Amino acid sequence: MNQSHVAMSPAQAIEFSVPEPTGLRRNDVEALAENIAAQMGYLPGADIFSAVVEAGGRVDYKDYWDSKNIDSGSLVVYGEGNFEIFLSTETSHLRDKFTVAHELGHYVLHYLYPRQVLSKPINYLKADRYGTNKTEWEANWFAAAFLMPKRKFTNDFRSAQGRIREVSELFGVSESAVKIRARSLGLTHKDDEKEE
Amino acid sequence: MTKKKNDAFEFLSPKIRLFLSADLIGSTALKQAVGISAALKKDGAGFSSTHSGWISPILFFYREFTKLFFTSWDDERKKYEKRHETSAIRERPFLWKSAGDELIFCIVLETEDSLFLSIYAWMSAIRAYRERTSVLERALDVKSAVWVAGFPVLNQEVALPNEQFIFKDEVSRVEGDYTTNLMNLQEHYRNIKKSNWKIDFIGPSIDTGFRLAKFADSRRIIISVELSNIMARCSLTKMKENDICIYFDGMVELKGVVGGEPYPIFWIDVSSNKYYSESLQKITRSDAISLENLEEFTKAFIDEHKKYLFLPFINGALNPDLRAPPANYRTQIEHIAETLKKEMRKESDLEKSLANVEVDPDEVPKHQLNVSLPKGNEKTTLLIDEDGN
């Protein structure tokens, strides 16, 4: 197929696909997330923003609380290696890191995976910050495994004797993310989480 | 009775709060004057006291002034209710902060009546305190500033974790950002009695109040432009009924306020010597401002600085003009409520998605997925084919 290299403004009308569930099991999504992290050379606790830029992403900010802002899009994919992630101007850095990993999950699971593995003709993709279907769960699984890969997380959590804050600093994620991850890996139950 | 649209988020209902600051005059000098030398033993061997005489006048102020204001406010409310045969005023003033030798009280204004009775009770408390202390040897005089702040647009309520809960599981959201704060406020107001949060107020109107307080003296209660505007719009009857006159004392630059441009100093007379005060006013030609002029100027000032201020309103005011919020105010509040609902659902979904399905750390994935991550294009333009795909 001939391609003409035409510069197009993202503002121009484009037909965007919306994320569709992959139907993959959580373990498969997690394995894929760890594989992608390895391809990106991303190590737990490192700077996810630079890693995204390396992969052709751009990170921008939007005020979702402003009534003038009617677009609640959080990810726009224009092509492989060409996507834009929008973060809220009003959230903390730790929450933002999880959001970046979540949007990266949409990019991999709902754009690259259907194109490369299922040969689906998706050209452009747009995900919403307030999406509600199964794709959000899949992107959350991806983000948790990308930022807190299960083997390393399990080992480090045990070495830190379950001290939440210590683990949160190690992986550069919020304490609540550590608590949820530890619970889902069967490392703790809600009643026995340690505080420093 | 119809339910309000944002009942679920009580803290998003428009509120205007009145802040009343009372500060001791000369307390620093008193502390310094009787400082360490008075605390030392005569023979120079160690200390004979911890406070050396300055603490009692300050504690007296804390206790007496607070008592006088609350008593005076209750009296005024009774008078008001008797006059209007109603018991409409539910919100009471409370001590918001004590900072050094300053006490700051706060009250949510339900109607213009709660504004006037609070101001009048405040003036009565200052005069009564002065009268009571005039016979005491070491008591100190008081100065005051009063201002209003509108919430939740322009100024904000903030939920601060109680120290004993800060690292507990119940307070999982300790990140400091707007989104988290709204979620925490929701948690607080849902069950105030068992709340892990304490509520504070921040915002530009409050900063302005603190700056204005520097211009107060024993004779003048300094009032902010927004408060002056509401008082002017309330009605002449109420001002006369409450014997309140407002004076103007020029424009000053308040650091960081309205972009550093000159800000008007309006004040209310609370001097205890009426003869002295009136004769001073004659020679300084500082007549009370007419309410028409005050309303016109404050409105023009707010309009001139609309980047920083908007015309204040009291949500439950009896006068419809005072009830009207600025254009788009309600739309913005509704948008915030909607966005908050979505953010809360997003957070709850995140927790459900990660917690409900346990991951077996030793399980080998069933599929090997070969997804390769392309490197980023150097240029961020789009590549489209001839068919426009």
Side-chain angles (χ1 to χ4, degrees):
Chain A
M1 189 183 291
N2 288 331
Q3 279 199 324
S4 58
H5 293 234
V6 179
M8 235 175 99
S9 151
Q12 274 180 260
I14 299 172
E15 193 89 352
F16 285 103
S17 300
V18 293
E20 284 184 17
T22 60
L24 293 169
R25 292 167 66 251
R26 181 168 176 179
N27 262 303
D28 296 324
V29 171
E30 293 216 352
L32 180 57
E34 290 189 23
N35 178 281
I36 293 291
Q39 288 185 50
M40 291 170 81
Y42 178 82
L43 295 171
D47 178 10
I48 191 172
F49 290 80
S50 315
V52 161
V53 171
E54 278 285 303
R58 299 177 295 286
V59 178
D60 215 333
Y61 290 85
K62 234 186 231 186
D63 187 357
Y64 293 92
W65 297 95
D66 185 344
S67 56
K68 291 195 285 287
N69 188 1
I70 51 164
D71 181 3
S72 55
S74 53
L75 170 76
V76 184
V77 184
Y78 301 108
E80 294 200 5
N82 185 4
F83 59 99
E84 194 161 16
I85 290 172
F86 294 96
L87 298 173
S88 169
T89 50
E90 304 294 347
T91 48
S92 68
H93 186 63
L94 290 184
R95 273 176 186 264
D96 287 347
K97 283 181 79 170
F98 197 91
T99 307
V100 171
H102 173 98
E103 301 306 336
L104 187 66
H106 278 308
Y107 170 59
V108 172
L109 293 165
H110 307 126
Y111 185 80
L112 297 181
Y113 172 73
R115 275 171 67 95
Q116 295 180 10
V117 180
L118 309 176
S119 305
K120 281 194 177 176
I122 299 175
N123 292 315
Y124 309 111
L125 182 83
K126 200 172 194 178
D128 195 277
R129 180 172 176 86
Y130 304 116
T132 51
N133 63 14
K134 191 70 194 288
T135 59
E136 295 304 308
W137 282 47
E138 291 176 347
N140 286 337
W141 296 342
F142 182 98
F146 186 92
L147 296 169
M148 299 169 277
K150 59 186 174 189
R151 273 198 196 286
K152 179 161 173 57
F153 185 87
T154 304
N155 291 339
D156 289 356
F157 191 86
R158 284 183 180 141
S159 305
Q161 295 175 317
R163 286 185 292 269
I164 304 290
R165 209 181 336 159
E166 202 174 309
V167 183
S168 122
E169 279 166 19
L170 208 57
F171 287 85
V173 294
S174 69
E175 289 174 35
S176 49
V178 170
K179 285 176 189 173
I180 295 169
R181 185 68 169 149
R183 251 179 263 150
S184 73
L185 290 171
L187 300 171
T188 60
H189 296 286
K190 196 163 183 167
D191 301 333
D192 56 24
E193 280 156 6
K194 286 185 186 177
E195 312 295 342
E196 282 178 355
Chain B
M1 198 172 157
T2 52
K3 276 196 123 204
K4 276 184 272 168
K5 201 163 184 179
N6 292 326
D7 267 359
F9 302 122
E10 205 277 327
F11 54 94
L12 290 180
S13 306
K15 279 189 196 75
I16 187 158
R17 289 186 167 90
L18 179 71
F19 292 86
L20 309 114
S21 143
D23 196 3
L24 279 176
I25 300 172
S27 61
T28 308
L30 176 73
K31 283 177 215 156
Q32 299 287 330
V34 295
I36 202 162
S37 58
L40 285 170
K41 280 184 182 171
K42 280 181 185 161
D43 58 8
F47 294 91
S48 60
S49 84
T50 53
H51 52 81
S52 60
W54 52 262
I55 189 73
S56 292
I58 293 169
L59 293 177
F60 179 79
F61 164 68
Y62 277 15
R63 193 190 61 236
E64 282 302 304
F65 190 85
T66 305
K67 204 164 78 184
L68 282 169
F69 176 49
F70 287 158
T71 311
S72 171
W73 194 90
D74 283 336
D75 290 347
E76 289 304 318
R77 182 170 70 166
K78 273 179 209 151
K79 276 190 226 165
Y80 165 84
E81 287 172 356
K82 204 172 167 187
R83 209 161 50 222
H84 298 269
E85 292 178 347
T86 174
S87 55
I89 295 171
R90 290 159 298 156
E91 294 280 356
R92 290 181 50 78
F94 62 93
L95 178 62
W96 172 46
K97 271 186 200 306
S98 67
D101 310 325
E102 185 180 9
L103 296 174
I104 306 169
F105 298 84
C106 176
I107 178 173
V108 172
L109 298 177
E110 291 166 273
T111 63
E112 51 272 60
D113 290 316
S114 55
L115 166 66
F116 276 95
L117 85 85
S118 299
I119 298 268
Y120 195 68
W122 185 250
M123 291 166 68
S124 304
I126 292 174
R127 286 184 176 130
Y129 176 79
R130 195 167 285 150
E131 204 176 306
R132 194 160 294 189
T133 54
S134 63
V135 292
L136 301 174
E137 198 188 326
R138 282 187 306 172
L140 297 166
D141 204 348
V142 68
K143 60 181 181 174
S144 165
V146 183
W147 63 92
V148 285
F151 299 81
V153 175
L154 204 59
N155 303 283
Q156 298 287 318
E157 285 184 52
V158 289
L160 303 171
N162 285 327
E163 271 170 35
Q164 65 268 40
F165 293 118
I166 194 163
F167 296 124
K168 295 277 182 196
D169 195 36
E170 302 89 86
V171 182
S172 53
R173 292 187 229 106
V174 290
E175 292 96 335
D177 60 65
Y178 179 71
T179 308
T180 309
N181 184 53
L182 289 182
M183 291 184 192
N184 293 338
L185 285 173
Q186 165 65 359
E187 196 172 283
H188 169 80
Y189 282 107
R190 212 172 41 208
N191 193 350
I192 293 176
K193 280 184 186 166
K194 287 186 177 172
S195 174
N196 295 329
W197 306 97
K198 52 188 174 190
I199 303 300
D200 204 356
F201 311 115
I202 53 173
S205 311
I206 296 164
D207 291 348
T208 302
F210 282 116
R211 295 259 189 257
L212 285 174
K214 305 273 183 291
F215 293 86
D217 56 38
S218 63
R219 188 175 148 235
R220 307 182 310 168
I221 297 178
I222 307 291
I223 59 174
S224 69
V225 163
E226 290 134 303
L227 176 56
S228 308
N229 176 270
I230 298 188
M231 290 176 81
R233 286 156 67 204
C234 272
S235 86
L236 195 59
T237 323
K238 291 203 185 300
M239 297 285 270
K240 278 191 178 156
E241 202 174 84
N242 290 290
D243 193 23
I244 298 170
C245 293
I246 296 175
Y247 300 87
F248 174 66
D249 194 22
M251 309 283 286
V252 293
E253 281 178 21
L254 303 174
K255 199 179 168 191
V257 174
V258 294
E261 287 180 36
Y263 187 99
I265 299 294
F266 292 113
W267 58 279
I268 300 171
D269 195 340
V270 270
S271 56
S272 36
N273 186 335
K274 208 170 180 184
Y275 170 69
Y276 170 76
S277 187
E278 281 172 3
S279 54
L280 183 63
Q281 275 158 32
K282 275 179 200 160
I283 64 158
T284 55
R285 293 185 178 183
S286 52
D287 292 335
I289 313 166
S290 82
L291 292 184
E292 291 77 15
N293 288 347
L294 183 63
E295 182 180 349
E296 189 185 336
F297 173 74
T298 51
K299 204 175 162 190
F301 184 86
I302 289 168
D303 189 53
E304 176 71 15
H305 299 90
K306 54 178 172 257
K307 206 169 137 191
Y308 310 99
L309 302 167
F310 61 80
L311 218 52
F313 67 99
I314 303 175
N315 207 27
L318 307 168
N319 174 352
D321 287 346
L322 274 171
R323 266 204 309 266
N328 296 329
Y329 187 101
R330 295 210 189 276
T331 313
Q332 178 61 23
I333 298 277
E334 276 161 22
H335 177 77
I336 291 172
E338 279 307 307
T339 308
L340 179 56
K341 273 185 208 160
K342 289 177 188 168
E343 287 286 340
M344 289 173 76
R345 194 182 56 212
K346 186 177 161 70
E347 189 186 68
S348 151
D349 272 359
L350 170 66
E351 186 145 350
K352 276 188 214 154
S353 68
L354 296 182
N356 284 4
V357 187
E358 284 208 357
V359 180
D360 179 354
D362 300 319
E363 186 187 311
V364 177
K366 287 197 175 161
H367 307 284
Q368 282 300 323
L369 300 170
N370 295 315
V371 176
S372 69
L373 193 79
K375 287 278 172 201
N377 298 329
E378 283 198 7
K379 287 180 184 170
T380 56
T381 52
L382 291 173
L383 296 178
I384 61 170
D385 64 30
E386 283 174 343
D387 299 318
N389 294 317

